[in-house]
Amino acid sequence: MPDRETMPSAPAPEVSERAAALPQDALRIASGYAFTGPALHLGALLWDGQCLPDAQIRVPLAMLNRHGLVAGATGTGKTKTLQLIAEQLSAQGVPVFLADVKGDLSGIAAPGRPDARVEGRAADVHQSWTATGFPAEYYALGGIGRGTPVRATVTGFGPVLLSKVLRLNRTQEQSLALIFHYADSKGLELIDLKDLRAVVTFLTSDEGRPELRTIGGLSAATAGVILRSLTAFEAQGASGFFGEPEFDTAELLRTGEDGRGVVSVLELSAVQDRPQLFSTFLMWLLADLFHDLPELGDVDKPRLVFFLDEAHLLFDDASEAFLESITQTVRLIRSKGVGVFFVTQTPKDVPADVLAQLGNRVQHALRAFTPDDQKALNATVKTFPKSPYDLEEVLTNLGTGEAVVTVLSEKGAPTPVAATRLRAPESLMGPLGQDALERAVAESPLYERYAQAVDRESAYERLERGRGAKGPDEMRDAAPRKPREPRELPEEEQPSAVEQVVGSGVFQSLARSVGTQIGREITRSLFGTARRSGRRRR
């Protein structure tokens, strides 16, 4: 495999002579996809019921950090589209993250199998199809399934995302944030769910009620609701998803020895019955990347492309704060070289503020069997630029592996809408065999790093050890890495809240205090997530 810096650019910078003989409207569309720089090949133009292989539909590599949407009804080929895009990104040295909800993307590591359908599709779109496997790493959420376990600490996950998982309302979400603030300020590390439950239990106990009164706006009743939600959440078997070692999202940015980008496949089929949990965990991965990555500005190619499958689950019953955080993350992470693709059934599944930021669209077929289906179809058509197609008719008549496409050109302008017959993936279109998958996981150097859960001393153990004391402050001397408390001042000398923050040593030496509890509190990002000290950085 050639070095990724010397890999050839995608050909066809101009419309071919044969394409010049196309109908005028089709030629105008084809001309909109004649890019000069590296690009991914999606397929060939469909026009008037015919596939026109001389009119190639592509997307510029440099525009894939401008985000995108892959949508369509069940069974229309969305998963194969993800696979097709992921393969070409990997080949050009770009790491990819894929959420494998159905369990059939693991085959990307193995060469595909030629058959009559693959050969026919390749001939239709003038694709030089070669069976090829791509470097892949397999993960499993909380170790449930086959893959290297992915866990988060509770403090790293943050109160906003955890509120989404627990289905808390706005008031309860704000109260949970106050509990996190209390735990941070008292040096009570929230590693797993039992740590958070121990803190809330303490605050609602007789000995903890005086502490509760020091947390403005948190009532005993609301704390009790949060405690019951946590207990029910643990009873559903959620404890395994939180703990240490916490997954370092820098692992998703790797390239192989041959220069190809590693495709990180997170198996979610084993946790399909917990959609709120896995969809929110996907957002945690993205938020953690946002928290850590430096600004890059415009780049020749993305440093990572992240596919969020079943994206509608992120937005169902989401609080206003949660939606605002998603919108900000998507808007800002582009400048850090990360592209995000939302995968769902219709554009209406994605809030308008998020949809407005998605520059690349691959819309598979929609069905109009019911009035609601027809309404969704009409709404989808309105999200596309004006085109010579009758999009309502086209979208209801597309076959499997066909889609309506519009992307951003190299100048950042939308390309003409193009009905497209998509190329066939070159890797295995289906799950990797169980033996091969287990062997790939066991041989990964990451498995040894993350496989064994660690339960070190944290808030639960400290509170258990200090039971009978007046509160966590009396255990301060025995607690490791405990930040020093400021001396008490007479009431008339107490500084304002702003003065306390700006004048504090923590604020003035933030870089030195990131590893402390207070450092974590101050450096919480848009979702209230935080990176703990001790995790590797790249």
Side-chain angles (χ1 to χ4, degrees):
M1 194 72 187
D3 183 85
R4 62 188 175 109
E5 298 300 332
T6 61
M7 292 184 67
S9 301
E14 299 178 357
V15 179
S16 68
E17 292 183 7
R18 286 182 296 178
L22 297 172
Q24 192 63 36
D25 282 336
L27 178 60
R28 189 177 300 112
I29 293 171
S31 298
Y33 292 86
F35 309 125
T36 58
L40 309 188
H41 289 261
L42 297 179
L45 182 69
L46 289 170
W47 183 259
D48 198 22
Q50 300 295 316
C51 182
L52 307 177
D54 294 316
Q56 289 290 306
I57 304 304
R58 306 184 300 151
V59 53
L61 181 62
M63 290 294 111
L64 284 169
N65 69 326
R66 300 299 182 92
H67 310 319
L69 176 74
V70 178
T74 301
T76 55
K78 296 192 298 296
T79 300
K80 300 300 177 285
T81 296
L82 305 191
Q83 192 168 345
L84 173 67
I85 295 174
E87 290 177 352
Q88 295 185 67
L89 285 167
S90 174
Q92 301 212 41
V94 179
V96 180
F97 173 86
L98 293 174
D100 190 8
V101 177
K102 295 186 289 290
D104 53 3
L105 281 169
S106 59
I108 197 166
R113 301 189 184 112
D115 57 27
R117 288 190 304 169
V118 168
E119 292 169 354
R121 175 59 58 96
D124 284 348
V125 300
H126 284 186
Q127 175 186 6
S128 298
W129 190 91
T130 303
T132 309
F134 295 82
E137 192 75 56
Y138 299 101
Y139 300 100
L141 196 56
I144 299 179
R146 290 163 296 188
T148 297
V150 173
R151 304 181 188 89
T153 63
V154 170
T155 197
F157 204 70
V160 177
L161 292 173
L162 190 58
S163 295
K164 178 70 163 60
V165 172
L166 296 176
R167 302 191 179 190
L168 303 181
N169 62 31
R170 177 62 170 161
T171 299
Q172 293 159 358
E173 177 183 316
Q174 293 171 336
S175 298
L176 185 61
L178 290 173
I179 293 170
F180 270 71
H181 169 85
Y182 173 81
D184 280 352
S185 65
K186 298 298 182 182
L188 295 169
E189 291 195 271
L190 304 177
I191 304 301
D192 50 28
L193 289 178
K194 75 176 185 299
D195 289 324
L196 181 56
R197 178 164 45 79
V199 172
V200 182
T201 300
F202 169 75
L203 290 172
T204 54
S205 67
D206 291 340
E207 59 183 348
R209 285 198 182 99
E211 296 281 320
L212 186 64
R213 288 195 291 270
T214 69
I215 309 175
L218 178 60
S219 70
T222 301
V225 171
I226 294 172
L227 180 60
R228 289 193 293 275
S229 298
L230 276 172
T231 302
F233 189 48
E234 286 183 289
Q236 295 168 10
S239 297
F241 302 106
F242 296 91
E244 289 185 320
E246 185 174 53
F247 182 69
D248 187 348
T249 49
E251 309 288 7
L252 304 179
L253 305 175
R254 296 183 301 127
T255 54
E257 293 180 358
D258 58 5
R260 293 186 296 172
V262 172
V263 181
S264 298
V265 182
L266 179 63
E267 180 187 326
L268 296 172
S269 55
V271 292
Q272 283 191 76
D273 58 336
R274 283 167 268 195
Q276 288 276 343
L277 178 63
F278 77 67
S279 64
T280 310
F281 247 88
L282 296 180
M283 203 64 218
W284 169 74
L285 291 172
L286 192 61
D288 196 69
L289 284 165
F290 173 82
H291 188 253
D292 284 352
L293 292 177
E295 293 285 335
L296 296 178
D298 291 328
V299 291
D300 293 334
K301 63 182 180 183
R303 65 184 305 171
L304 174 70
V305 177
F306 197 98
F307 289 90
L308 279 165
D309 205 355
E310 300 292 340
H312 65 280
L313 297 171
L314 274 175
F315 306 110
D316 290 347
D317 302 319
S319 70
E320 184 177 344
F322 186 82
L323 293 176
E324 288 175 357
S325 297
I326 290 179
T327 304
Q328 285 183 282
T329 301
V330 172
R331 181 185 298 122
L332 298 174
I333 204 169
R334 177 184 71 80
S335 64
K336 300 192 175 192
V338 178
V340 183
F341 275 71
F342 294 90
V343 185
T344 188
Q345 294 205 1
T346 72
K348 72 180 183 65
D349 294 335
V350 180
D353 287 345
V354 176
L355 191 64
Q357 300 175 56
L358 310 183
N360 304 299
R361 297 272 304 277
V362 180
Q363 176 67 59
H364 287 266
L366 291 173
R367 309 306 178 205
F369 299 137
T370 69
D372 285 344
D373 291 342
Q374 185 63 49
K375 188 176 180 180
L377 175 62
N378 294 338
T380 299
V381 169
K382 291 177 181 177
T383 63
F384 279 95
K386 185 178 179 181
S387 80
Y389 290 102
D390 180 345
L391 285 179
E392 281 200 27
E393 180 179 355
V394 170
L395 286 173
T396 52
N397 287 286
L398 289 170
T400 301
E402 297 175 345
V404 171
V405 173
T406 180
V407 302
L408 292 181
S409 71
E410 291 165 311
K411 296 181 179 179
T415 58
V417 176
T420 305
R421 181 162 294 164
L422 299 169
R423 292 185 168 213
E426 296 184 337
S427 56
L428 180 64
M429 290 186 280
L432 197 64
Q434 182 172 340
D435 291 343
L437 180 57
E438 290 178 352
R439 185 166 56 252
V441 172
E443 292 174 354
S444 169
L446 299 184
Y447 186 76
E448 183 177 353
R449 187 177 303 154
Y450 293 105
Q452 187 62 47
V454 176
D455 187 13
R456 64 182 176 86
E457 182 177 282
S458 49
Y460 172 81
E461 288 79 12
R462 287 195 56 213
L463 288 169
E464 282 292 300
R465 191 176 68 243
R467 185 171 290 179
K470 291 181 180 179
D473 287 339
E474 296 197 1
M475 296 176 286
R476 192 171 306 282
D477 293 338
R481 296 181 301 280
K482 188 69 173 62
R484 193 188 318 174
E485 291 290 316
R487 66 183 180 88
E488 289 293 325
L489 296 176
E491 186 173 351
E492 64 271 16
E493 295 180 30
Q494 290 285 352
S496 67
V498 173
E499 290 171 334
Q500 290 179 45
V501 174
V502 175
S504 68
V506 173
F507 185 87
Q508 294 175 1
S509 58
L510 183 59
R512 287 184 287 109
S513 63
V514 164
T516 69
Q517 298 294 333
I518 294 178
R520 275 205 304 275
E521 180 184 353
I522 292 177
T523 59
R524 289 190 182 276
S525 63
L526 291 174
F527 282 97
T529 57
R531 176 176 283 280
R532 291 182 46 252
S533 62
R535 279 173 56 180
R536 299 182 312 117
R537 295 175 186 264
R538 293 172 183 248

